């Protein structure tokens, strides 16, 4: 039986916040306590829809609320830094949406602030906590099918063109790499570590953001990862891991709860990982566990992993000449 409960605050009442709170309501011990929006009407509407106790018309009121244990930051990329810092300054634990910051400098400052304030901080890279992903990590680590020789992963979706909306808006950190390309890059980092060399090419659209991005990562042992992201095209969003003795496919969409197919000598076996939520409950439950253990850093989505991830994204952006 759980004894401890956690009062969650939601900062920013956008699309992902709505999905996240649906899953949060399934997590034992999680209390949907408060939501803050820049508009009180929007906050109240969100609170009513998701049965959240308190609504605020400013982010400041949320971080000042003494009853809140943890704040989920769900604003556009370019605000993750400012809003996480705001929470940390008020000694509030933070689960911040991906990408953690817009560059390594921001991420390092956020981490320093969390350490200085002795407060929990984690990037909401939810894939890290999904059962099928953990299965693939174990399978790779155990070398059950030998060495991993090549990785291919894509994530493309067709977002209707709107220069104002965050996906195409450069001021909000738009573009495919930071929004969805982060998942293939995260997968490569998780399976293969830091690459020796990165080659990338992008199609930069009229708003100045990458509408698609092709990336090749090379590792010192000769292994290659071939990655692709797009916001103007729907792609299978699968990951194929070619091992010496098998081909392992994380079926689409690989970054969210999915199944894994293993092909060996002409035989195909598919392993299902049934989940009844979107899958955000796994990261939320992990955060609560960390808080219960009085940790200020996740033992799974570590500061080091977030720093390595943003460093890879920085290196790729340098290759495609994309600066925010
Ligand atoms: N983990 C995942 O699966 C996943 C999926 C989608 C998105 N995300 C991440 O979540 C973040 C938000 O994405 P989203 O799709 O939810 O975006 P969204 O629908 O546009 O929502 C973002 C929210 O941020 C707030 N905001 C604060 N300042 C803003 C500004 N200047 N312009 C626009 N919005 C502003 C707004 O909330 P108020 O108006 O209520 O203040 C807005 O509703 C992104 O960083 C994205 O990478 C993660």
């Amino acid at each position: 039986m759980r004894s401890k409960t956690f009062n969650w605050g939601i900062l920013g009442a956008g699309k992902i916040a709505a999905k996240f709170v649906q899953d949060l309501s399934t997590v034992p011990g999680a209390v949907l306590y408060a939501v803050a929006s820049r508009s009180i009407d929007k906050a109240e509407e969100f609170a009513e829809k998701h049965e959240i106790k308190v609504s605020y018309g400013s982010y400041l009121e949320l971080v000042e609320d003494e009853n809140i244990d943890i704040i989920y930051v769900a604003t556009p990329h370019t605000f993750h830094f400012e809003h996480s810092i705001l929470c940390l300054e008020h000694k509030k634990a933070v689960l911040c949406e991906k990408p953690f910051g817009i560059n390594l400098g921001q991420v390092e400052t956020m981490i320093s602030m969390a350490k200085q304030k002795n407060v929990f901080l984690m990037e909401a890279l939810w894939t890290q906590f999904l059962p099928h992903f953990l299965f693939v990590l174990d399978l790779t680590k155990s070398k059950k099918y030998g060495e991993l020789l090549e990785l291919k992963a894509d994530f493309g979706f067709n977002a209707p063109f709107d220069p104002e909306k965050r996906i195409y808006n450069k001021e909000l950190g738009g573009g495919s790499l930071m929004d969805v390309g982060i998942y293939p890059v995260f997968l490569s980092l998780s399976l293969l570590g830091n690459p020796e060399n990165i080659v990338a090419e992008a199609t930069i659209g009229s708003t100045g953001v990458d509408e698609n991005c092709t990336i090749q990562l090379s590792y010192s042992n000769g292994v290659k990862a071939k990655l692709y992201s797009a916001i103007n095209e729907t792609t299978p969003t699968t990951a194929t891991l070619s091992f010496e003795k098998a081909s392992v496919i994380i079926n689409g969409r690989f970054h969210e709860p999915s199944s894994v197919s293993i092909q060996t000598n002409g035989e195909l076996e598919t392993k299902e990982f049934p989940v009844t939520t979107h899958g955000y409950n796994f990261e939320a439950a992990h955060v609560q566990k960390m808080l219960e253990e009085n940790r200020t850093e996740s033992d799974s989505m570590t500061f080091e992993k977030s720093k390595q991830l943003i460093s890879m994204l920085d290196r790729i952006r340098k290759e495609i000449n994309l600066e925010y």
Side-chain angles (χ1 to χ4, degrees), residues 62 93 113 117 175 184 196 206 223 255 259 271 274:
L62 182 82
M113 173 71 90
K117 296 283 179 186
E196 193 152 289
S206 57
V223 175
H255 75 298
S259 60
K271 203 167 159 38

Side-chain angles (χ1 to χ4, degrees), residues 12-17 36-39 42 59 72 74-77 79-80 83 97-99 124 126 166 172 178-179 183 255 280:
K15 284 205 269 315
I16 189 59
S37 168
R38 294 164 302 166
S39 137
K42 192 174 163 193
Y59 300 154
Y72 169 63
T75 49
H77 313 342
F79 292 100
H80 292 174
H83 295 147
E97 262 308 335
K98 41 59 62 176
W126 61 309
R166 70 167 188 86
L172 299 180
M178 299 296 264
D179 201 58
Y183 290 106
H255 75 298
Y280 300 110

Side-chain angles (χ1 to χ4, degrees), residues 56-72:
Y56 290 119
S58 77
Y59 300 154
L60 185 61
E61 287 169 279
L62 182 82
V63 299
E64 285 177 345
D65 186 326
E66 303 265 298
N67 296 317
I68 291 177
D69 297 304
I70 166 89
I71 293 180
Y72 169 63

Side-chain angles (χ1 to χ4, degrees), residues 8 24 55 71 89 96 112 153 168 187 196 202 219 244 256 307 315:
W8 285 75
L24 192 56
S55 347
I71 293 180
E89 276 172 349
C96 176
S112 301
Y168 284 94
L187 184 65
E196 193 152 289
Y219 293 83
E244 288 169 304
E256 61 190 11
K307 283 201 280 185
R315 284 171 72 187

Side-chain angles (χ1 to χ4, degrees), residues 163-178:
E164 301 303 319
K165 287 269 161 67
R166 70 167 188 86
I167 301 285
Y168 284 94
N169 187 330
K170 196 170 180 191
E171 282 185 6
L172 299 180
S176 78
L177 176 67
M178 299 296 264

Side-chain angles (χ1 to χ4, degrees), residues 42-57:
K42 192 174 163 193
E44 282 173 356
E45 195 185 319
F46 190 95
E48 196 185 340
K49 186 167 176 195
H50 299 287
E51 298 179 25
I52 297 174
K53 295 181 185 183
V54 182
S55 347
Y56 290 119

Side-chain angles (χ1 to χ4, degrees), residues 7 15 25 29 60 74 103 138 185 204 208 216 218 232 269 281 288 299 303 306 323:
N7 283 342
K15 284 205 269 315
S25 69
L60 185 61
N103 55 42
D138 276 354
V185 172
I204 305 292
Q216 179 158 304
S218 309
N232 59 357
E269 179 206 345
N281 50 306
Q288 292 192 170
D299 60 2
F303 291 152
S306 284
E323 273 184 42

Side-chain angles (χ1 to χ4, degrees), residues 18-317:
K19 286 171 89 175
F20 180 80
V21 296
Q22 280 172 17
D23 283 4
L24 192 56
S25 69
T26 70
V27 176
V31 178
L32 276 65
Y33 176 76
V35 59
S37 168
R38 294 164 302 166
S39 137
I40 185 64
D41 289 348
K42 192 174 163 193
E44 282 173 356
E45 195 185 319
F46 190 95
E48 196 185 340
K49 186 167 176 195
H50 299 287
E51 298 179 25
I52 297 174
K53 295 181 185 183
V54 182
S55 347
Y56 290 119
S58 77
Y59 300 154
L60 185 61
E61 287 169 279
L62 182 82
V63 299
E64 285 177 345
D65 186 326
E66 303 265 298
N67 296 317
I68 291 177
D69 297 304
I70 166 89
I71 293 180
Y72 169 63
V73 173
T75 49
H77 313 342
T78 43
F79 292 100
H80 292 174
F81 174 76
E82 179 187 327
H83 295 147
S84 293
I85 294 285
L86 180 71
C87 295
L88 295 169
E89 276 172 349
H90 288 81
K91 294 213 88 154
K92 290 290 186 295
V94 180
L95 172 65
C96 176
E97 262 308 335
K98 41 59 62 176
F100 217 6
I102 214 74
N103 55 42
L104 177 63
Q106 286 194 350
V107 169
E108 283 180 337
T109 306
M110 287 157 68
I111 291 170
S112 301
M113 173 71 90
K115 286 182 177 168
Q116 188 196 326
K117 296 283 179 186
N118 202 27
V119 171
F120 181 84
L121 171 70
M122 189 184 97
E123 181 175 13
L125 212 313
W126 61 309
T127 311
Q128 172 81 18
F129 304 96
L130 297 178
H132 76 292
F133 177 80
L134 296 174
F135 169 79
V136 171
L137 276 191
D138 276 354
L139 187 148
T140 307
K141 215 169 149 195
S142 71
K143 299 196 194 298
K144 184 173 179 190
Y145 299 111
E147 295 293 338
L148 178 58
L149 305 175
E150 187 184 72
L151 168 69
K152 281 188 194 154
D154 66 280
F155 191 157
F157 74 110
N158 193 357
F161 181 73
D162 182 344
E164 301 303 319
K165 287 269 161 67
R166 70 167 188 86
I167 301 285
Y168 284 94
N169 187 330
K170 196 170 180 191
E171 282 185 6
L172 299 180
S176 78
L177 176 67
M178 299 296 264
D179 201 58
V180 290
I182 188 171
Y183 290 106
V185 172
F186 172 73
L187 184 65
S188 310
L189 176 64
S190 303
L191 297 171
L192 294 161
N194 265 314
E196 193 152 289
N197 194 38
I198 296 181
V199 180
E201 210 183 333
T203 305
I204 305 292
S206 57
T207 59
V209 304
D210 62 301
E211 294 188 353
N212 61 45
C213 186
T214 306
I215 306 157
Q216 179 158 304
L217 310 176
S218 309
Y219 293 83
S220 52
N221 53 2
V223 175
K224 291 211 180 340
K226 296 170 183 174
L227 316 177
Y228 182 71
S229 61
I231 51 172
N232 59 357
E233 172 194 355
T234 301
T235 69
T237 308
T238 55
T240 304
L241 289 69
S242 304
F243 291 94
E244 288 169 304
K245 292 183 234 159
S247 180
V248 173
I249 298 153
I250 314 179
N251 295 304
R253 299 190 312 171
F254 77 86
H255 75 298
E256 61 190 11
S258 189
S259 60
V260 177
S261 298
I262 302 168
Q263 189 156 25
T264 45
N265 291 333
E267 284 190 27
L268 185 72
E269 179 206 345
T270 296
K271 203 167 159 38
E272 305 288 343
F273 297 86
V275 167
T276 53
T277 58
H278 300 295
Y280 300 110
N281 50 306
F282 294 98
E283 65 176 357
H286 171 79
V287 168
Q288 292 192 170
K289 181 170 178 281
M290 295 296 99
L291 293 178
E292 250 183 88
E293 293 173 6
N294 291 319
R295 290 177 192 257
T296 51
E297 179 181 356
S298 164
D299 60 2
S300 178
M301 191 63 213
T302 60
F303 291 152
E304 187 54 34
K305 192 156 189 190
S306 284
K307 283 201 280 185
Q308 288 181 359
L309 180 59
I310 194 70
S311 300
M312 280 175 76
L313 295 171
D314 281 356
R315 284 171 72 187
I316 296 165
R317 280 196 302 108

